Every structure is written in structure tokens, then in C-alpha cells.
Amino acid sequence: MVGPEEALKTQEYKAYRWRWLVLFAFCTFTFSNALGFVQYSPILSLAAEYYDVTDQDIVWFSNCYYITYVVFCPFTIRPLEKRLDLSLFLAAFVTALGQWFIYIAQQTYSFALVGFILIGMGQIFILAAPAYISDRWFPMHERTVSTSLGSFFNLVGLNFSIVYASITFQNVSDHDEIVDQIDFMNLLFAIFTTLAFLFCITMIRNKPATPPSISAASEKMLILPSFKRAFRSLESIMDLLTFSMFIGVSWAYMVVIAILLAPFNYTTEQIGYVSIVYAATGAIGGTLASIYVDYQIKNNTKPHYDYLIKGFLTIGVAGILIKALIINYVNDTVIVVLSGIIGFGLNSFLPLALQCYIEKLFPSFELVLTTAIMQMSNLFGFILNYILILEVFLDVGLWVILIAMGPFYLYLIFGYKTKFLRLEMEQQSAAA
């Protein structure tokens, strides 16, 4: 009888070109799903006038994303494992349906809220999927960059939404014009989500006929044991909480950036520039770092996960600290540059964090691990979102973020170390 290890050695491994179409379709989906998350963030007061509610009521549109993920994400693991394609078809359809709800709702706040809840239900299939798609479809030396692209197109969608709103509404004050422009924006986003749904049903497949790597073919731990392993020791709990906190901060910062800058009399256009730089530097930095890591893996070198993650987050924390200290005394250009530094630090580490966390807890099921991280990230993001919109914290929002990150940053610098359990197994099997 052939044992599991012998079977892995004799198994044929092949990477199919279709993997790039799967990734492309997923990226268009995650881009379109992210549009609604912050579409009103740069124009809170205008959106509040449109729906005849308060600014805080508008922020609850974004909170729908957080809440639905925290509550329902564990129930997506089994469907994604069994049928990746059908799960993403359903998620893309629900997202498109929600965006059309928002458009049809016009100025009815409660009906629009249902639309955002539906989009949030679509998102519960997205956030943990990039690392799973990379493991199922991509060879070991392409896993990090494919995870990066799958993750960062969510950031690209957030950025597009903010930029569109910032530019379109920079000189809009007439009520009828506000209504017309918001209606058109909602229609445009509904069309985008519909196109993404069509890409999904035509390009996404469940899995390749032949696994692309040893990791994809190997037996993983079951769902419940994988969850238990994430909480098995103080070290594993701190790893989970640390990564989750920084991801949650990066999301919350994007959502409430307009609120953080409002006390300093920033215009909608200026907030848009800040958001562009914040998102762009993170996406570019993370993608380049992912390419470098995959290059190291391709050359049988252990990637510098720890140096990169600690370096990125040190840059992000330092950027927030400097911004908090000097925001009252510098011009707009300096604030934009600092936002780029913060985005480079807080956003670039995401795909690296997901991959090194999977490495450290292998052979736990990677979909379980990334779901756990994203669930905690959404919980932290929601809490920060709620705190930062409170009037008592409006002038000190950056300091609140620093206090929240402080203990986890210290653990990351002095206590965290990656273990290459998956990579070592794959290299040993390949050499045998």
C-alpha cells in the first residue's frame, strides 16, 4: 500500500494557465464588492442630506460589512472548500443584487441599508479566499503574489470609490445636483458589480485537474481542529490578534479618513488625494514585496517574512505618530506624503501576514486560518470605526489608533517569529 508521503512524491503537479483567469475574475469581484464600503466616506454630509439622516447613520453603511463578516464568515468555509466556483458565483450575485437595491432605493435609507447588508453578505466569501485560491491554483513560487493581487484589488476598489466621490462631489452643493450625482454613482457601481458577476460565472472554476503544488495535494487538518490550533497557545493567540489588529486598523483608517481630517478643515478634494496615496502606496509596496518573496521561494531560500512585516508596520506606526504630532503645523503636501508612508506600512504587510501565518500553523486548513484572521480584523475594524466617529474622539483619532496598536506592535517586534512548516515540507518532498 502506498502511504501519504509516497503518494505526494509520485503525484503529478501542474500549474494551468487558466489560473490567471480565475484570479482575474476574482479580482474584478473583490474590486466591485469593495466599492460600497467607502463610497460615502468622503461625502458624509452630502450623503446624510441625500438620505435625510445624520453622518453617523451613513457610517453604518460601512459597518454592515464588518458585522455581517464577523457573524457569518465561519459558515462560508465548508462551501468554499467543496465548491469554490459556486460559492463565489453566489457571492457575486448577492453583491450585484445589493448594489441594485441601493440604486433602486433612491433616497430611502432603510432600503439602502438592506442593500449594504446584502453586499456585506457577498463579502463574507471574499476576504479569506485569496490565500485559498493561491494554494488551490498556483505553484508555491506564485502563492504570495497571487494572494497579494487577490487581496489588493479590494483596496483598489476602496480607492476607486473614494477618488470617484471626491472628484465628482468637490463642487456640488445644490440638493438636486447631489441627488442626481449620487443616483448616477449608485447606478455605475451596480453596473460594475453586474459585470463582475458575469466574469465570475464565465472564468472561475472549482479546482484544477492536477494540483499545482505539494501543499495543494497534501491532507490538511479538519475545520474544527484547525480553529482549535489557532487558539491552542498564548503565542498562536497573540499572532492572530496582532495580525488582525493591524489589518483592522488599516481598514478603519480608510473608512474614517474623512472624519479624522474633518477637524483640520480638509476639503473633499484634499481627502481624495490623501486616500489615493494611502491606498496606492500600500498596494504597490505589498505587490513588490510579494514578488520578492516568491523569488526567494523559487530559489529555495526561506523568505524574509519577519523582516518585511516588522519593517512595514514600523513604517506605518511611525507615520501615524509623526502625523499626530505635526498635523496642526504642516501644509497639505506633507500630510499627503505622510498618508503615503502610513499606507505603505499598514497595507503592504497584508499578503505577507496571511502567508507566514499559514506557514506557521501548517498543516492547519489555510481557509480556516485566514477566516479567523479576517473575522478578528473585522471585529477590531468595527470597534475602531465606532469609537472614531464619537464626537469626544474627533480631535484625537490618530492617538486612539496608536494606543490600540501599541501592545500588539511591541509583541510583533520582540515576540513574533515565523516557522516555515509548509515550505520545509514542500522542499523536503521535492528533494526526495
Side-chain angles (χ1 to χ4, degrees):
M1 179 179 293
V2 178
E5 293 186 5
E6 289 73 17
L8 290 176
K9 294 175 184 178
T10 58
Q11 169 72 52
E12 177 187 358
Y13 302 105
K14 179 180 179 181
Y16 294 83
R17 292 181 181 178
W18 196 270
R19 69 190 185 277
W20 296 109
L21 292 178
V22 173
L23 183 61
F24 170 77
F26 178 78
C27 287
T28 61
F29 171 35
T30 190
F31 168 87
S32 68
N33 181 273
L35 293 174
F37 189 38
V38 290
Q39 69 182 69
Y40 294 136
S41 293
I43 55 167
L44 283 177
S45 59
L46 299 182
E49 179 181 342
Y50 177 81
Y51 288 107
D52 193 23
V53 294
T54 66
D55 288 3
Q56 286 73 19
D57 291 327
I58 298 300
V59 172
W60 275 98
F61 286 152
S62 297
N63 286 342
C64 289
Y65 281 67
Y66 292 126
I67 295 171
T68 53
Y69 195 87
V70 170
V71 174
F72 296 107
C73 68
F75 303 105
T76 66
I77 295 173
R78 182 65 71 186
L80 284 168
E81 178 192 13
K82 295 299 183 183
R83 290 302 301 261
L84 174 70
D85 51 350
L86 296 182
S87 298
L88 294 180
F89 295 167
L90 174 62
F93 173 77
V94 171
T95 296
L97 181 64
Q99 198 67 62
W100 281 108
F101 259 62
I102 295 169
Y103 171 66
I104 295 171
Q106 299 291 306
Q107 295 171 260
T108 307
Y109 176 81
S110 58
F111 199 48
L113 191 63
V114 174
F116 280 100
I117 292 173
L118 287 172
I119 298 175
M121 294 300 294
Q123 186 201 216
I124 65 178
F125 290 90
I126 291 178
L127 296 182
Y132 184 55
I133 292 174
S134 71
D135 188 76
R136 176 171 278 200
W137 277 93
F138 287 82
M140 59 187 293
H141 62 275
E142 293 177 353
R143 281 197 298 246
T144 310
V145 73
S146 57
T147 300
S148 173
L149 293 172
S151 301
F152 283 140
F153 263 83
N154 182 274
L155 191 61
V156 173
L158 297 175
N159 191 41
F160 177 86
S161 182
I162 289 177
V163 171
Y164 178 88
S166 299
I167 294 174
T168 302
F169 293 91
Q170 58 181 313
N171 296 315
V172 175
S173 58
D174 178 72
H175 180 74
D176 291 338
E177 189 176 2
I178 292 172
V179 172
D180 290 341
Q181 291 292 352
I182 290 181
D183 284 345
F184 181 77
M185 178 175 68
N186 290 335
L187 174 61
L188 181 65
F189 290 178
I191 293 172
F192 281 162
T193 55
T194 303
L195 290 174
F197 169 65
L198 295 176
F199 282 135
C200 284
I201 62 176
T202 54
M203 296 181 186
I204 291 181
R205 301 290 183 269
N206 184 36
K207 60 182 178 181
T210 303
S213 67
I214 295 173
S215 172
S218 62
E219 285 290 327
K220 307 292 175 59
M221 293 173 64
L222 298 176
I223 292 176
L224 188 57
S226 295
F227 265 121
K228 289 181 178 179
R229 193 176 184 200
F231 296 93
R232 183 179 62 183
S233 65
L234 179 60
E235 180 184 7
S236 62
I237 293 172
M238 285 303 299
D239 290 347
L240 173 63
L241 294 179
T242 298
F243 287 146
S244 300
M245 171 55 75
F246 282 106
I247 296 171
V249 165
S250 70
W251 292 342
Y253 188 91
M254 172 73 81
V255 173
V256 301
I257 196 167
I259 297 174
L260 293 175
L261 294 176
F264 305 99
N265 299 317
Y266 275 72
T267 66
T268 299
E269 183 180 7
Q270 290 170 325
I271 292 171
Y273 291 143
V274 169
S275 301
I276 292 170
V277 175
Y278 173 79
T281 54
I284 293 171
T287 301
L288 292 176
S290 298
I291 293 172
Y292 172 64
V293 165
D294 281 344
Y295 173 79
Q296 290 184 298
I297 294 174
K298 189 174 183 179
N299 288 277
N300 294 318
T301 302
K302 289 182 179 180
H304 297 150
Y305 282 129
D306 291 5
Y307 293 127
L308 289 169
I309 289 173
K310 293 177 182 181
F312 279 134
L313 291 180
T314 297
I315 291 171
V317 171
I320 294 177
L321 177 60
I322 294 171
K323 187 174 182 178
L325 290 170
I326 68 174
I327 192 170
N328 287 307
Y329 310 106
V330 296
N331 59 30
D332 302 342
T333 302
V334 175
I335 296 302
V336 170
V337 171
L338 283 173
S339 296
I341 292 172
I342 295 169
F344 182 78
L346 291 185
N347 293 317
S348 296
F349 92 106
L350 173 58
L352 308 179
L354 295 178
Q355 288 297 331
C356 71
Y357 186 64
I358 293 170
E359 285 282 352
K360 193 169 183 177
L361 293 181
F362 186 83
S364 297
F365 187 17
E366 63 276 348
L367 189 56
V368 172
L369 299 179
T370 52
T371 297
I373 284 185
M374 293 303 170
Q375 185 178 36
M376 293 303 301
S377 300
N378 276 273
L379 180 59
F380 285 141
F382 171 72
I383 293 172
L384 284 170
N385 227 28
Y386 184 79
I387 291 174
L388 292 172
I389 65 173
L390 296 176
E391 188 172 353
V392 67
F393 293 118
L394 288 182
D395 295 331
V396 293
L398 293 172
W399 292 107
V400 172
I401 291 174
L402 284 168
I403 291 171
M405 291 191 302
F408 300 101
Y409 176 72
L410 293 175
Y411 170 76
L412 180 80
I413 297 300
F414 299 108
Y416 179 79
K417 184 174 178 61
T418 299
K419 298 174 184 176
F420 295 91
L421 301 182
R422 179 177 62 174
L423 182 62
E424 290 174 353
M425 182 275 292
E426 290 179 315
Q427 290 178 339
Q428 290 171 4
S429 298

